[in-house]
Amino acid sequence: MNDLITQLGGPETFAIVVGGVATVIGGVVAALVGRRGGDDETVAPTQTQTPAGPGIEPIATPEEHPEEDALSDVEPAEVSEEAPEEVVDEAPSLDVPESVPTRMQRLRSRLARSGSFGSTLVRVLSRGDLDEEDWEEIEDTLLMADVGVEATDEIMEELRTQARIIGTSDPATIKTVLRTKLLELVDPTMDRSLAASRHDDHPGVVLMVGVNGTGKTTTVGKLARIFVAEDKKVLLGAADTFRAAAADQLATWGERVGVDVVRSDRQGADPASVAFDAVKRGDSEEVDVVLVDTAGRLQNKRDLMDELGKVKRVMEKTAPVTETLLVMDATTGQNGMSQARLFAEVVDITGIVLTKLDGSAKGGIVISVQRELGVPVKLVGLGEGPDDLAPFDPASFVDSLLS
């Protein structure tokens, strides 16, 4: 050891060398310890503060949340105290039904363009010197148009008589003869007004009947539009409780013109009960007219037909039924006559509604059904539009046939 100290140049030099070696070893040990600790857990560096000595300013320790200081000078954003704009649901706009005069004009135009049987008769009669084949063609045309056998015989007799008296060479004269006879058969003297207004502190009550497929529920909706156009307060009764979509269909018609519907939430509910509730509510709310739809009962189901009679009797416990309208499909022709007879046996039919009269080959049904039942055709429909229903006017109908 003494030799080593001597070689290094004395005790002072040896102390320096030993201190340096110790420093190196300490650094290596510290590095190894630090690496091992880093493998186990990351240790956040510790903030240190150098103690102040004479003439030395202490080192300030950074704040724990320096970002707060950075934002301390920023003024907070202003918060609006205004209430959010309220969203108001707008009421759905209602349809404005056409007036009756507008309907009549449009329906006359449609019927005139449909190629009616009357124009065929005029064409044949205008040939002059008609032979037996011509007369047979006239008769066949009348029968095919559902004028009916009895009415056809009357028309044929009148035309043959006039042909012998005035001849057939003048189309205008023959047309006048035919018009006169057709108008006589349609009978303009029948009362075609609708008893659908308040009377004796009760609403007018209209009962709609007819078999399935005639457009009865649709006709109820269209008729409601006519009354709304006349500024009447209307209430609908969905007493067709057997057809699943009938009440929904009627409700849709009512919503379009702002008319309420009395209905049952249960399919197959008692129709008489629904009809009674509708009339009772209409009476208490002082409406002008209550329209009651019924199921399209088959004419060979006597029990169902009896139930229709029950519906009417129950309704009249509150207010009398002022109209019972039979809805018929004009295109069914004579097949619809048996239906009409059976309905007339159960309830007192006061008027007829003919739908789909734009099938002009069936226009003669107006004559035959009136003769069969002794009640007038009061309303006719010539299309599927919401306002394609109008009061029946005999003169306009006949003129349209012959145009």
Side-chain angles (χ1 to χ4, degrees):
M1 178 64 68
N2 293 328
D3 293 339
L4 179 60
I5 294 174
T6 302
Q7 292 177 2
L8 291 175
E12 295 84 358
T13 304
F14 177 78
I16 294 173
V17 172
V18 172
V21 172
T23 300
V24 172
I25 294 174
V28 172
V29 173
L32 291 176
V33 173
R35 179 176 298 177
R36 182 175 300 174
D39 292 341
D40 296 337
E41 182 179 2
T42 301
V43 180
T46 303
Q47 298 290 344
T48 60
Q49 182 174 355
T50 305
I56 300 177
E57 294 290 339
I59 300 175
T61 303
E63 298 292 336
E64 294 183 359
H65 301 286
E67 65 276 7
E68 294 182 358
D69 291 340
L71 297 176
S72 61
D73 296 334
V74 179
E75 295 182 0
E78 295 183 359
V79 179
S80 175
E81 297 182 357
E82 295 182 1
E85 184 177 354
E86 183 179 358
V87 178
V88 180
D89 294 333
E90 296 183 358
S93 58
L94 301 178
D95 288 356
V96 179
E98 287 186 4
S99 63
V100 170
T102 303
R103 294 166 183 261
M104 294 290 289
Q105 181 178 1
R106 183 162 50 84
L107 294 178
R108 281 196 297 267
S109 176
R110 286 190 179 184
L111 187 60
R113 296 197 306 265
S114 61
S116 59
F117 72 89
S119 59
T120 302
L121 296 178
V122 172
R123 176 175 52 80
V124 177
L125 289 169
S126 300
R127 293 172 182 170
D129 298 327
L130 301 179
D131 56 24
E132 196 59 31
E133 290 185 359
D134 293 327
W135 288 111
E136 288 181 0
E137 182 178 353
I138 293 174
E139 185 176 13
D140 290 343
T141 299
L142 291 170
L143 292 174
M144 290 292 292
D146 292 318
V147 172
V149 176
E150 293 183 2
T152 295
D153 290 343
E154 287 188 29
I155 294 174
M156 291 297 295
E157 182 179 356
E158 179 70 13
L159 291 177
R160 283 179 179 271
T161 300
Q162 294 299 324
R164 289 192 297 268
I165 296 175
I166 63 177
T168 59
S169 59
D170 184 3
T173 302
I174 293 300
K175 184 176 179 179
T176 299
V177 172
L178 182 59
R179 181 187 185 279
T180 301
K181 187 60 182 178
L182 288 174
L183 190 58
E184 176 188 332
L185 293 173
V186 174
D187 193 356
T189 65
M190 300 182 92
D191 183 9
R192 302 177 195 275
S193 62
L194 290 173
S197 300
R198 286 192 64 81
H199 62 97
D200 301 328
D201 288 331
H202 293 299
V205 178
V206 180
L207 180 64
M208 307 292 288
V209 300
V211 299
N212 287 329
T214 59
K216 179 167 45 56
T217 301
T218 298
T219 299
V220 174
K222 292 181 179 182
L223 184 55
R225 294 175 67 90
I226 290 180
F227 292 142
V228 169
E230 295 174 348
D231 294 327
K232 290 184 177 181
K233 186 178 180 180
V234 184
L235 182 66
L236 303 180
D240 183 354
T241 60
F242 295 99
R243 188 164 63 91
D248 291 337
Q249 182 181 355
L250 202 60
T252 299
W253 280 101
E255 289 172 359
R256 296 175 65 176
V257 289
V259 172
D260 289 340
V261 178
V262 176
R263 57 182 295 179
S264 173
D265 294 332
R266 181 172 58 87
Q267 184 177 346
D270 182 15
S273 177
V274 177
F276 175 80
D277 290 342
V279 177
K280 184 177 181 180
R281 176 177 167 183
D283 192 53
S284 63
E285 295 183 0
E286 298 185 351
V287 305
D288 295 304
V289 57
V290 179
L291 295 174
V292 178
D293 184 25
T294 59
R297 309 178 190 285
L298 299 176
Q299 67 270 23
N300 58 352
K301 302 287 187 178
R302 294 303 306 179
D303 55 339
L304 294 179
M305 297 300 289
D306 291 341
E307 186 175 292
L308 183 59
K310 173 188 173 183
V311 169
K312 183 178 179 182
R313 291 193 302 272
V314 170
M315 291 168 61
E316 291 188 323
K317 291 181 178 180
T318 301
V321 175
T322 55
E323 287 280 358
T324 302
L325 300 179
L326 173 63
V327 181
M328 294 181 60
D329 183 343
T331 62
T332 61
Q334 294 301 311
N335 292 332
M337 296 306 301
S338 60
Q339 301 170 2
R341 284 190 291 268
L342 287 172
F343 274 99
E345 292 175 5
V346 178
V347 290
D348 296 326
I349 304 296
T350 60
I352 301 161
V353 182
L354 282 178
T355 62
K356 308 175 187 178
L357 197 59
D358 49 335
S360 60
K362 304 295 182 181
I365 193 67
V366 172
I367 297 172
S368 57
V369 72
Q370 287 189 160
R371 290 172 67 97
E372 179 68 31
L373 301 183
V375 296
V377 172
K378 293 190 173 184
L379 296 158
V380 292
L382 291 178
E384 298 181 358
D387 293 316
D388 287 342
L389 183 73
F392 178 75
D393 180 68
S396 297
F397 173 71
V398 171
D399 288 340
S400 299
L401 291 178
L402 298 177
S403 61

